[in-house]
Amino acid sequence: MKVFNTSQIRQCDQYTVENDEISSIELMEKAALACFEWIKSQFSANYTYYVFCGKGNNGGDGLAIARLLLEENYKVETFVIQSSSNFSTDAQINFDKYPDSVSFLENDDFEIQQENKKIVIIDALFGTGLNKPLEGNTQKIIQKLNHIKGKKISIDIPSGLFSDSLPSEDQTIFKADVTLSFQFYKRAFLHVESAQYAGKIFILDIGLNSKFIQDEETNNYIISSKSVSDNFKPRDPFSHKGNYGKVALIGGSYGKIGSISLSTRAALKIGAGIVFTIAPNCGYSILQTLAPEAMFISGGDEKLITEIKISTEKTTIGIGPGLGKEKLTKVALEELLKSIQTPAVLDADALNIISENKSMLNLIPKNSIITPHPVEFARLFGDSKDSLEQCELAREMAKKYNIIIVLKGHRTAVLTPEGKCYYNITGNAGMAKGGSGDILTGMITGLLAQGYSPQIAAQLGVYIHGKAGDYAAKKYSQEAMTAQDIIHRLPEVFLNIKK
Ligand SMILES: NC(=O)C1=CN([C@@H]2O[C@H](COP(=O)(O)OP(=O)(O)OC[C@H]3O[C@@H](n4cnc5c(N)ncnc54)[C@H](O)[C@@H]3O)[C@@H](O)[C@H]2O)[C@H](O)CC1
Ligand SMILES: [K+]
């Protein structure tokens, strides 16, 4: 699913009006109707709706939503910000159509009866047309709204937030519980510094022109359930284990055998045919017990990996979880990287070792997948001022080193050598725990071994990992779920991938 910037969204809007049998006012009505239907499905008529509108098209949406609510006898109070600018053409039409009186706000002296707990505040002050950070009265109004208790819904985007950039710390922005956004994810919804204002995001289809959407180019995408099912390869009834690849997960050190056992189990559970684990000897009994389906290969020493003895030709390597950074382990990693020609997966301490010896970056085989979290990424490639800047740096590094970077976080991003960014929107805060990353490494390695291209293995891996995490949270709660529960919920994910 494509992510467009504000100017592309505006062009899409315009293209739709010019090429489809729909006028801009009809499009606004369609957008308002989609919001109204969503609101109706979530809240009863016992709520009082306070609708705050600007004078642009976002305000026009708000006025239309307020009218639709009134027509179905919901209790509605509508406010319009008084300003020197005129209503946009379509907002004016909706203002004229509004059947009740509205209150014009010159400052923040409006009253909302808070003893009535059933309050919904609808923010239709500013949308994608915001041209500078809010100040003066609009700033005061939003600050006051942010202190009022009630359900808060932003239309299209929280007022005060820019679609394509991140806010400064002192910027005033409406804090929504829910954002009902039209047709597309905005880039701001995909970065933690701005996404926190949007709450839960629902994308409402307002039928913008599909040819424009198909033809318009972008470098940013969401990994959709459709792209997952389109790329998913069901197992062939006539196949044997050799058809599903040979994996070697390499990692673990004394006290960190758990990491590589989680990766091993994840690779098995994601469908890999044959799985080896290369770990220090202290991991032997643990691994043979926790993952009896996998074969153990000694890493050479009791407590750390000092040698990696595997033919790398037909084996897909995943290296890093629990590996440690001992000198001999570093040498073993360097030797391994020099010997592999095919894409591998590198995570955790494998990346930390490389960050201390940056020339090793050039040894990473072309089209390999690295899976750093933001701190590991910064160690490798330097600091960034925020997550958007880090994402852009990752895009450059993916191109420079010809690798796929899985930048883990609230919304994990997969950056490709072609400069594309694929955001993952599955997953939840229950996964922000030790072990989750080890599992992701095992999953991506297992998918790569099964013949998925590195880019698709990375995209499927992050999507499936997040989705299994969502099933785990549903069953055990975000608090009580542990990383292992992500592995346990994989069956639900596979059973629900539509083919
Ligand atoms: N995506 C679609 O196809 C549709 C989107 N719709 C809605 O339209 C808005 C965008 O509307 P636009 O008129 O371009 O802009 P806004 O309503 O966001 O605001 C413009 C308005 O506000 C003034 N302004 C801008 N910045 C500031 C500021 N910092 N302080 C004060 N005033 C400011 C500006 O001068 C204008 O007067 C989109 O988000 C959707 O909600 C359609 O309704 C349906 C199709
Ligand atoms: K808004």
Side-chain angles (χ1 to χ4, degrees), residues 52 79-83 103-110 141:
F52 287 81
F79 300 87
V80 174
I81 288 201
Q82 184 61 287
S83 67
S103 311
F104 277 96
L105 289 178
E106 294 203 20
N107 51 42
D108 62 351
D109 63 356
F110 59 88
I141 289 166

Side-chain angles (χ1 to χ4, degrees), residues 19 43 60 104 131 177 189-190 230 236 240 275 278 282-283 285 295 316 337-338 351 371 382 414 449:
N19 292 277
F43 298 102
F104 277 96
N131 51 30
D177 299 304
F189 298 166
L190 300 160
D230 286 351
D236 174 354
H240 56 86
V275 179
I278 303 181
C282 66
S285 319
M295 285 166 277
T316 306
L337 291 180
K338 282 180 182 159
L351 300 177
T371 60
V414 176

Side-chain angles (χ1 to χ4, degrees), residues 9-10 12-13 24 27-28 31 55-61 85-86 88 125-135 138 155-157 182-184 186 206 208:
I9 293 175
R10 201 162 293 144
C12 185
D13 202 358
S24 68
L27 198 57
M28 186 178 276
K55 287 186 158 178
N57 286 341
N58 194 252
D61 296 336
S85 54
N86 294 328
S88 70
L125 290 166
F126 303 98
T128 51
L130 186 77
N131 51 30
K132 58 179 190 313
L134 298 176
E135 51 193 26
T138 50
I155 303 305
D156 205 25
I157 184 166
F182 302 131
Q183 201 84 39
F184 308 108
K186 277 72 179 165
I206 58 168
L208 294 183

Side-chain angles (χ1 to χ4, degrees), residues 6-25:
T6 305
S7 132
Q8 290 173 306
I9 293 175
R10 201 162 293 144
Q11 287 169 45
C12 185
D13 202 358
Q14 215 173 331
Y15 187 96
T16 306
V17 168
E18 282 163 12
N19 292 277
D20 295 350
E21 284 181 3
I22 189 163
S23 64
S24 68
I25 189 72

Side-chain angles (χ1 to χ4, degrees), residues 117-375:
K117 292 242 165 56
K118 292 194 173 277
I119 290 174
V120 177
I121 294 172
I122 297 180
D123 152 40
L125 290 166
F126 303 98
T128 51
L130 186 77
N131 51 30
K132 58 179 190 313
L134 298 176
E135 51 193 26
N137 285 338
T138 50
Q139 185 179 29
K140 282 196 204 139
I141 289 166
I142 288 182
Q143 282 167 348
K144 183 165 172 181
L145 288 174
N146 281 347
H147 281 105
I148 293 173
K149 289 203 171 65
K151 297 282 174 220
K152 297 181 185 166
I153 303 175
S154 280
I155 303 305
D156 205 25
I157 184 166
S159 295
L161 193 62
F162 293 105
S163 304
D164 307 325
S165 59
L166 301 187
S168 62
E169 264 171 35
D170 57 355
Q171 214 167 301
T172 297
I173 299 162
F174 184 82
K175 191 134 184 22
D177 299 304
V178 165
T179 295
L180 304 178
S181 200
F182 302 131
Q183 201 84 39
F184 308 108
Y185 266 86
K186 277 72 179 165
R187 191 117 188 254
F189 298 166
L190 300 160
H191 286 268
V192 67
E193 298 91 332
S194 38
Q196 57 179 311
Y197 294 99
K200 209 159 183 234
I201 291 150
F202 293 87
I203 304 295
L204 307 181
D205 187 345
I206 58 168
L208 294 183
N209 186 284
S210 52
K211 182 175 175 342
F212 180 95
I213 298 173
Q214 203 180 340
D215 293 349
E216 179 69 10
E217 290 192 5
T218 177
N219 282 329
N220 299 310
Y221 300 80
I222 302 277
I223 304 168
S224 65
S225 56
K226 183 173 181 316
S227 75
V228 169
S229 56
D230 286 351
N231 284 301
F232 179 68
K233 295 188 287 192
R235 286 169 104 83
D236 174 354
F238 304 104
S239 56
H240 56 86
K241 68 181 175 189
N243 297 118
Y244 300 102
K246 203 189 270 181
V247 168
L249 269 326
I250 308 167
S253 49
Y254 183 77
K256 290 187 189 161
I257 297 300
S259 310
I260 203 65
S261 83
L262 288 171
S263 310
T264 303
R265 287 164 57 206
L268 285 162
K269 197 84 172 174
I270 204 123
I274 301 164
V275 179
F276 294 94
T277 311
I278 303 181
N281 295 338
C282 66
Y284 173 73
S285 319
I286 303 166
L287 283 157
Q288 290 290 79
T289 312
L290 290 177
E293 302 91 338
M295 285 166 277
F296 180 88
I297 296 176
S298 168
D301 181 82
E302 180 60 20
K303 294 188 175 176
L304 56 126
I305 289 182
T306 56
E307 62 182 26
I308 298 166
K309 280 195 179 155
I310 184 116
S311 135
T312 53
E313 216 169 285
K314 288 194 178 138
T315 309
T316 306
I317 305 286
I319 183 161
L323 185 66
K325 298 191 294 176
E326 292 295 331
K327 211 167 160 205
L328 291 175
T329 309
K330 188 206 127 189
V331 174
L333 172 66
E334 199 163 352
E335 289 306 310
L336 175 80
L337 291 180
K338 282 180 182 159
S339 74
I340 28 180
Q341 314 298 331
T342 47
V345 181
L346 283 80
D347 181 32
D349 278 340
L351 300 177
N352 291 328
I353 290 175
I354 295 173
S355 69
E356 289 171 13
N357 308 269
K358 299 248 166 49
S359 62
M360 284 174 74
L361 275 168
N362 298 308
L363 297 178
I364 301 177
K366 195 163 124 251
N367 277 319
S368 287
I369 301 160
I370 69 167
T371 60
H373 58 58
V375 178

